[in-house]
Amino acid sequence: MKLEGGKIPANQLVFLIIGFIYGTVVIINPGRAAGNDAWLAFIVSMLVGLCFAAIYVILAQRFQTKNLLEINDLVFGPYLGKLISLVYLWYFFHLGAIVLRNFGDFLAGIIFPETPISVFLITMVLICASAVRNGIEVIGRTSIILTIITTIILVLTSLLSIPLMDFNNLLPILQTTKLKEFLTTVLISATFPFGETVVFLMIFSTVNNPKKLKLTTLIAFLFGGGLLLIQAIRNIAVLGTLMDIYTYPSYTAVRAVNIFEVITRIEILVVINFLTMGFIKVTVLYYAVSLGTAQLLKLKSYLPVVLPIGILMICLSLLQFESSFENSYFTYTIYPFYALPFQIFLPLLTLLVAIIRGKKGVPG
Amino acid sequence: MFNYLAKKFNLVRLLRKQSTQNANGKKQSGLKISPHLKQNLETLKKTFKESNDFVIREFSFGSKEEPINVALVYIEGLVAKTSINDDIMKPLMYDSSFAGFINTYQPNDIIAFIDERLLSMADSIKVSNLEEVVEGCLDGHTILLVEGETQALSISNQGWERRSISEPQGEVVVRGPREGFTETLRINTSLLRRKIHNPDLVLEMLKVGQKTRTNVCIAYIAGIADDGVVQEVKNRIEDIKTDAILESGYIEQFIEDAPFSPFATIGNSEKPDVVAAKLLEGRVAILVDGSPVVLTVPFLFIEGFQSAEDYYSRPYYSSLVRILRYMGFLFSLYGPGFFVAVVAFHQELIPDALIITISSAMEGTPFPVALEAIGMGIVFEILREAGVRLPKAVGQSVSIVGALVLGDAVVSAGFVSSTMVIVVAFTAIASFVVTSHSDAESIIRFVMTLLGSALGLFGITIGTIGILIHLSALRSFGSPYLSPLAPISWLDLKDTFLRFPLWAMITRPKTIGWNNYQRESLDLIPKPPQKKKDK
Amino acid sequence: MIIVGYIFALIGIILFEIPTLILNKSWWEMAVFLGLTGFAFLLGLLMILQVNIPNPVYLINKTVEYFFDLVPI
């Protein structure tokens, strides 16, 4: 029996992936170390990310209607497969908790300094839980509207900040940063938004038309990467070299917008973007964890595990960092190396073993 | 707790007992018409419990030696008296005495003879069951019972007092037909027929309500409407086991997909042109006798923003109006909530020039801004309810007193800030722009105000996401509620935010009428006449 | 105060999930649900009481830093 009966059309997957990629990057800048070359780093890392995604798509298309856990079971056998699945689930779970924590840190630190962080985490998890309980179809549909709203807001804020922009800030190319810093940035941003799409291995199997997966993923990556690029160019052009000293550069960049003293302080739009996109990201991860847990424990439905996992996620996100400084240390220094095994080594290993052992998904 | 459960259990047992009793009682009916006229009349009298509007008119005609005894049975007020006099009794009693017809009939088919040769009525059917006789009477038929026959004639000559066709109060248009549905089902179906001259327009009758036996009509266009949806509508209506259907709202509440949602998943209209347009898009209409409000399914979220007039006037202005409608909807959802959130949490969002005005207006008001917003919201809802229910003349004075006098007094007494009055008043006006979602609007407005006062714009965004999740989970008879938006279908966006020209609306909506999707030919765009070159 | 609210939330969650599980007679699901909820509840309670709980992220940090030392970039 299938745990998830819903099917999403390929065009919803596009929006879902865009929302997921753009997710936390709205606020947190993975290209910090590269300074004004961040935009170039994004382009390179998008290409690297596409290579990652190619592995996922090949894997998904090889095993048609199987999701990640079923693939693991098939390729590695029931016991080792379960262990590897558990490792993946931990990563999705932890990633969800990190995103939640980024949320909480930003909201409690900048927007609502007097409110405890747990209020935001609980509200967010509640709303995500309601989406997760409604199934992938509803998540997909919600993501369409939210992603479109976000894109409009991003373009709008970028247009409004044109008067503040100094495009000379983008230059000189690859002069101020050393190659090592540049490569680090590429690594960070390849793992940070792009590589995290490994979670979609749980969702690819619910897509109506698996043949379209390649095109879908490509479009989504290009579009999502485009959004990142617009945002990076905006931030660099507005803030210049000051960009790396701000924790939340988008917020600071848009904050300065002032059109005829009427349209001022529109940074709240960035916050709204962050909320909606973060919602998509947390929901996708949360959904993957819930579905995976139910699958691992052979439940008939994943609904009963949704709320407990939500509580655990809140607990972990509160527990993991003592302060937002620890958070940013983890995000920029530890996380890329922590994520790499999950994002590239394990999928690649799965693919290789599958090819060697000649395992394939039976269609239907 | 246990007491409550026990009570509930008792109730269930009681209901079960009652239903078996009802089933036993039902079986006694279904009597055949007996050849003895007197006996039939006695049974009928007993069935109608000697009600004084139940009329029996016994008379006889034919030769003196062998008179044919007949009886007319009808309910006073439901039938047209003149037609009984002129078209039933006169032919029988007067015309039959001519031409020596008495000798030509065979004693065993008097009924057929009367039906074929004498009666000058268009619509009559033979019935052989007393139950059918009763039902016919209740539908306003006149029943002709004949001594010695096991059949009766059910003659349809309904004629009760009915409201004439008038312009519906709820859907006023500047351009477009003024006629609206009335309370009589037959007239309503005829209005639909007059819009769609096509035998494919199917009207199916059902009887719903064990006590009221209300006629319900399902209308759809064969070949356009989805068969599955038609069958689903039929099944759901047939499953309604209730006493009474007094208005189409009863049907709506029994068959809707999401009974716990503030959003309506069944559309309604009082205008035949609107319903005809919806039928032509592949929807199914449900007409209920006694109600001028016709239901249409499936109902999508965006239908609330479409109005008949959009299609009658030219596309630019219609598109503008439609965008204004979306804005009005958004404002009426978020107006007070956003204002409260901004004032309480994000003062920096207000431009400098405005903040002085707002804060000076706020100064000295005793209540917190959230309480002001919710209180004023409640006051507005009360005023609206009072204005709607009262007679027109009084209702207007109520709104004048409410809006002008009360609003002014409240501000000058310093209870509420003038900014808040502006926000609430404008929200109130904006909420009238989209009437089909107005009940959902007012509920969500309160929720948004609460969220905005508790968590600022974070709360409002979260609330919006929650509403979006709810809306995308809704379905109306198989169609996703947010249909052209999510799941996105690019083709249907032609009629969502903008109203494309009619010649560009080539296809029917994708989730509704897709089994016959071409609505018009491709090259309908008006072109200047082509000049012949060889002139 | 927080603990009372927390317990109420827990009761709310249990009342929200249990009826459907009982109706469907899915006992294994119920066991998993109760187990997970119990674990989550305990963890949350310990955090509210500010007991020191081992932080998994420290472990990750230490491991990755160990590799940093191993492979000087």
Side-chain angles (χ1 to χ4, degrees):
Chain A
M1 202 182 106
K2 273 271 180 197
L3 281 170
E4 171 62 61
K7 286 267 172 202
I8 57 170
N11 62 15
Q12 285 181 21
L13 187 70
V14 174
F15 289 105
L16 211 51
I17 297 181
I18 294 170
F20 188 84
I21 289 177
Y22 193 41
T24 17
V25 188
V26 180
I27 284 301
I28 291 165
N29 174 24
R32 197 169 168 181
N36 63 352
D37 288 323
W39 59 279
L40 198 62
F42 279 142
I43 296 179
V44 178
S45 64
M46 189 174 75
L47 297 178
V48 177
L50 270 175
C51 300
F52 288 17
I55 299 171
Y56 313 149
V57 171
I58 291 169
L59 206 55
Q61 284 190 327
R62 194 180 169 87
F63 294 90
Q64 300 283 342
T65 55
K66 301 265 183 291
N67 71 15
L68 181 58
L69 301 198
E70 290 161 328
I71 294 174
N72 284 339
D73 274 0
L74 254 171
V75 173
F76 296 107
Y79 298 107
L80 190 59
K82 289 261 180 333
L83 191 68
I84 290 176
S85 301
L86 199 64
V87 170
Y88 270 120
L89 285 186
W90 160 256
Y91 172 61
F92 299 153
F93 178 66
H94 189 194
L95 184 54
I98 294 171
V99 177
L100 261 183
R101 179 57 186 247
N102 289 338
F103 246 114
D105 274 347
F106 176 67
L107 287 170
I110 306 284
I111 314 290
F112 301 95
E114 285 144 33
T115 320
I117 183 170
S118 45
V119 172
F120 304 109
L121 301 186
I122 292 170
T123 329
M124 199 64 200
V125 163
L126 271 180
I127 205 78
C128 292
S130 81
V132 170
R133 289 178 66 93
N134 274 310
I136 188 70
E137 281 188 344
V138 171
I139 300 175
R141 286 182 202 156
T142 318
S143 77
I144 293 181
I145 294 174
L146 293 183
T147 309
I148 289 176
I149 293 175
T150 304
T151 314
I152 293 171
I153 289 181
L154 176 66
V155 172
L156 194 74
T157 50
S158 303
L159 288 179
L160 287 177
S161 30
I162 282 179
L164 301 171
M165 288 185 189
D166 178 7
F167 285 100
N168 290 327
N169 285 340
L170 297 176
L171 302 168
I173 296 168
L174 284 183
Q175 294 290 309
T176 46
T177 44
K178 290 182 195 111
L179 189 65
K180 183 191 151 197
E181 281 166 349
F182 185 75
L183 288 179
T184 321
T185 312
V186 170
L187 178 67
I188 292 175
S189 43
T191 50
F192 178 12
F194 295 110
E196 286 168 356
T197 45
V198 64
V199 70
F200 279 89
L201 275 175
M202 294 293 287
I203 290 168
F204 281 150
S205 61
T206 60
V207 174
N208 261 345
N209 190 350
K211 279 182 191 140
K212 276 193 186 161
L213 271 185
K214 269 180 200 147
L215 187 67
T216 308
T217 320
L218 184 67
I219 294 173
F221 266 70
L222 291 180
F223 201 99
L227 292 185
L228 288 197
L229 204 61
I230 295 176
Q231 180 179 307
I233 291 175
R234 177 191 73 198
N235 295 351
I236 298 168
V238 173
L239 296 175
T241 42
L242 288 174
M243 190 172 91
D244 3 333
I245 64 167
Y246 293 112
T247 327
Y248 306 115
S250 295
Y251 184 73
T252 321
V254 173
R255 201 179 174 131
V257 168
N258 184 345
I259 311 273
F260 304 127
E261 303 275 322
V262 178
I263 303 172
T264 53
R265 311 291 301 266
I266 52 170
E267 70 267 17
I268 204 75
L269 291 176
V270 175
V271 180
I272 290 172
N273 258 3
F274 183 43
L275 288 175
T276 52
M277 291 296 95
F279 159 77
I280 292 181
K281 194 160 182 176
V282 174
T283 306
V284 168
L285 292 162
Y286 192 176
Y287 171 79
V289 178
S290 306
L291 191 68
T293 312
Q295 225 171 319
L296 214 57
L297 296 170
K298 294 202 169 57
L299 304 188
K300 274 182 275 177
S301 149
Y302 69 87
L303 296 187
V305 298
V306 172
L307 285 175
I309 286 178
I311 305 177
L312 284 174
M313 218 179 237
I314 297 173
C315 290
L316 181 61
S317 66
L318 283 173
L319 179 69
Q320 59 186 352
F321 309 120
E322 300 267 299
S323 66
S324 58
F325 299 106
E326 267 182 44
N327 185 353
S328 68
Y329 169 73
F330 181 81
T331 311
Y332 293 115
T333 320
I334 306 292
Y335 178 76
F337 301 97
Y338 164 59
L340 267 183
F342 304 104
Q343 294 180 353
I344 185 85
F345 297 147
L346 274 178
L348 203 59
L349 185 70
T350 317
L351 189 61
L352 288 178
V353 173
I355 290 171
I356 292 167
R357 293 184 62 184
K359 294 279 185 189
K360 252 188 177 179
V362 205
Chain B
M1 182 78 186
F2 282 109
N3 240 342
Y4 169 77
L5 278 180
K7 259 186 204 160
K8 193 136 205 184
F9 182 69
N10 268 340
L11 186 66
V12 169
R13 218 170 43 187
L14 215 64
L15 285 176
R16 203 168 290 157
K17 207 166 142 194
Q18 170 101 46
S19 70
T20 47
Q21 268 177 5
N22 281 354
N24 289 340
K26 261 270 160 67
K27 273 182 191 130
Q28 287 166 6
S29 57
L31 276 179
K32 291 263 176 246
I33 296 176
S34 86
H36 304 289
L37 184 60
K38 285 273 179 261
Q39 193 186 326
N40 286 335
L41 294 180
E42 277 309 307
T43 326
L44 284 175
K45 255 187 209 162
K46 233 182 256 167
T47 315
F48 279 98
K49 315 275 186 299
E50 317 257 345
S51 291
N52 69 348
D53 61 342
F54 176 67
V55 179
I56 297 175
R57 169 76 163 89
E58 290 178 79
F59 60 96
S60 55
F61 63 97
S63 63
K64 248 179 204 159
E65 299 78 41
E66 290 180 62
I68 303 164
N69 292 320
V70 295
L72 279 178
V73 178
Y74 60 88
I75 291 181
E76 178 92 48
L78 291 189
V79 295
K81 270 267 178 69
T82 48
S83 125
I84 296 186
N85 297 343
D86 296 348
D87 306 323
I88 303 176
M89 293 188 62
K90 190 161 164 264
L92 292 182
M93 299 176 83
Y94 185 68
D95 301 346
S96 67
S97 56
F98 293 111
F101 99 98
I102 291 300
N103 302 325
T104 59
Y105 75 85
Q106 304 290 314
N108 54 353
D109 58 354
I110 307 175
I111 287 280
F113 186 79
I114 293 174
D115 194 17
E116 284 159 21
R117 303 289 299 269
L118 282 174
L119 222 51
S120 56
M121 291 294 292
D123 187 5
S124 68
I125 48 167
K126 290 188 190 112
V127 294
S128 53
N129 227 326
L130 271 180
E131 204 180 340
E132 284 173 283
V133 171
V134 172
E135 209 157 87
C137 278
L138 293 172
D139 278 351
H141 295 217
T142 308
I143 316 285
L144 182 74
L145 292 153
V146 182
E147 171 81 59
E149 291 282 335
T150 56
Q151 279 189 319
L153 270 182
S154 175
I155 304 156
S156 158
N157 64 335
Q158 293 103 319
W160 53 76
E161 287 305 314
R162 43 178 75 130
R163 190 164 66 89
S164 59
I165 296 173
S166 57
E167 186 171 6
Q169 299 291 311
E171 293 169 73
V172 184
V173 289
V174 178
R175 177 172 182 176
R178 304 271 191 279
E179 62 185 7
F181 287 118
T182 68
E183 281 77 5
T184 313
L185 183 59
R186 261 299 148 232
I187 295 180
N188 292 350
T189 57
S190 75
L191 287 174
L192 277 184
R193 276 277 182 218
R194 271 168 44 201
K195 294 275 174 214
I196 306 171
H197 298 256
N198 197 317
D200 281 345
L201 172 63
V202 184
L203 301 167
E204 285 186 35
M205 281 292 181
L206 296 171
K207 277 206 187 276
V208 191
Q210 283 151 349
K211 290 270 184 277
T212 56
R213 313 284 299 142
T214 310
N215 287 313
V216 174
C217 175
I218 301 172
Y220 59 94
I221 295 180
I224 298 179
D226 187 63
D227 294 335
V229 174
V230 174
Q231 198 52 47
E232 181 65 30
V233 171
K234 254 187 262 177
N235 289 347
R236 287 195 200 177
I237 291 181
E238 273 163 6
D239 281 348
I240 302 175
K241 297 269 183 290
T242 180
D243 267 9
I245 300 292
L246 296 180
E247 216 268 347
S248 51
Y250 279 52
I251 300 263
E252 177 175 357
Q253 287 165 53
F254 282 119
I255 67 172
E256 67 187 340
D257 287 70
F260 297 111
S261 168
F263 287 92
T265 48
I266 292 181
N268 60 54
S269 175
E270 285 185 58
K271 287 172 66 63
D273 51 326
V274 174
V275 174
K278 293 198 169 173
L279 288 177
L280 286 165
E281 283 189 338
R283 293 192 172 81
V284 180
I286 303 164
L287 296 88
V288 178
D289 201 8
S291 163
V293 182
V294 172
L295 308 176
T296 52
V297 294
F299 180 71
L300 307 180
F301 180 69
I302 57 151
E303 272 178 67
F305 300 90
Q306 298 168 343
S307 132
E309 226 173 322
D310 289 358
Y311 303 94
Y312 303 148
S313 44
R314 299 182 63 244
Y316 295 114
Y317 185 64
S318 316
S319 303
L320 178 68
V321 169
R322 197 168 275 181
I323 291 172
L324 288 179
R325 259 181 231 139
Y326 282 97
M327 283 167 63
F329 179 71
L330 289 182
F331 196 90
S332 89
L333 284 192
Y334 295 119
F338 187 77
F339 182 70
V340 168
V342 166
V343 169
F345 289 95
H346 316 276
Q347 288 96 344
E348 75 276 4
L349 284 180
I350 311 168
D352 295 346
L354 203 57
I355 197 160
I356 299 163
T357 328
I358 291 180
S359 58
S360 67
M362 289 273 172
E363 210 172 12
T365 54
F367 304 113
V369 60
L371 202 64
E372 267 182 29
I374 292 172
M376 288 299 283
I378 292 173
V379 167
F380 161 66
E381 296 288 334
I382 289 173
L383 279 178
R384 182 168 77 158
E385 186 62 17
V388 170
R389 301 283 166 247
L390 283 172
K392 234 180 201 170
V394 191
Q396 273 169 5
S397 60
V398 163
S399 38
I400 289 169
V401 169
L404 297 179
V405 181
L406 203 61
D408 192 44
V410 145
V411 172
S412 53
F415 279 13
V416 177
S417 73
S418 55
T419 346
M420 183 54 79
V421 173
I422 295 172
V423 170
V424 171
F426 185 62
T427 310
I429 292 166
S431 72
F432 291 126
V433 174
V434 180
T435 43
S436 4
H437 296 305
S438 60
D439 40 353
E441 263 173 64
S442 44
I443 295 169
I444 292 171
R445 194 184 310 138
F446 280 116
V447 175
M448 286 295 170
T449 316
L450 284 176
L451 281 174
S453 61
L455 288 170
L457 285 178
F458 170 73
I460 288 182
T461 316
I462 290 293
T464 311
I465 296 176
I467 292 168
L468 270 180
I469 294 171
H470 174 71
L471 283 176
S472 14
L474 280 185
R475 274 172 177 277
S476 170
F477 286 84
S479 297
Y481 195 53
L482 278 182
S483 176
L485 304 172
I488 200 153
S489 79
W490 303 104
L491 220 48
D492 286 354
L493 292 181
K494 65 182 182 294
D495 196 14
T496 306
F497 295 111
L498 300 176
R499 205 276 283 167
F500 276 43
L502 285 180
W503 43 262
M505 294 212 229
I506 294 159
T507 53
R508 295 180 216 285
K510 191 160 190 177
T511 47
I512 294 163
W514 201 242
N515 49 355
N516 182 355
Y517 52 85
Q518 192 170 7
R519 164 145 66 178
E520 58 196 23
S521 54
L522 282 168
D523 49 351
L524 282 178
I525 175 163
K527 288 179 279 282
Q530 295 195 337
K531 281 177 188 149
K532 284 187 182 145
K533 277 178 186 170
D534 51 0
K535 244 181 191 178
Chain C
M1 188 59 211
I2 296 173
I3 294 177
V4 174
Y6 185 61
I7 290 172
F8 267 110
L10 180 88
I11 293 171
I13 290 175
I14 290 178
L15 284 182
F16 182 71
E17 290 284 1
I18 286 290
T20 38
L21 292 176
I22 291 180
L23 277 179
N24 295 338
K25 295 201 170 63
S26 25
W27 308 122
W28 170 232
E29 280 75 12
M30 190 142 105
V32 170
F33 168 71
L34 287 178
L36 269 177
T37 315
F39 177 60
F41 173 72
L42 211 67
L43 201 63
L45 198 66
L46 290 179
M47 286 180 65
I48 291 172
L49 297 174
Q50 303 191 325
V51 179
N52 264 335
I53 304 166
N55 184 348
V57 173
Y58 281 141
L59 195 68
I60 296 164
N61 282 1
K62 285 276 165 321
T63 322
V64 174
E65 278 160 6
Y66 175 74
F67 279 106
F68 277 168
D69 294 341
L70 220 61
V71 190
I73 306 168

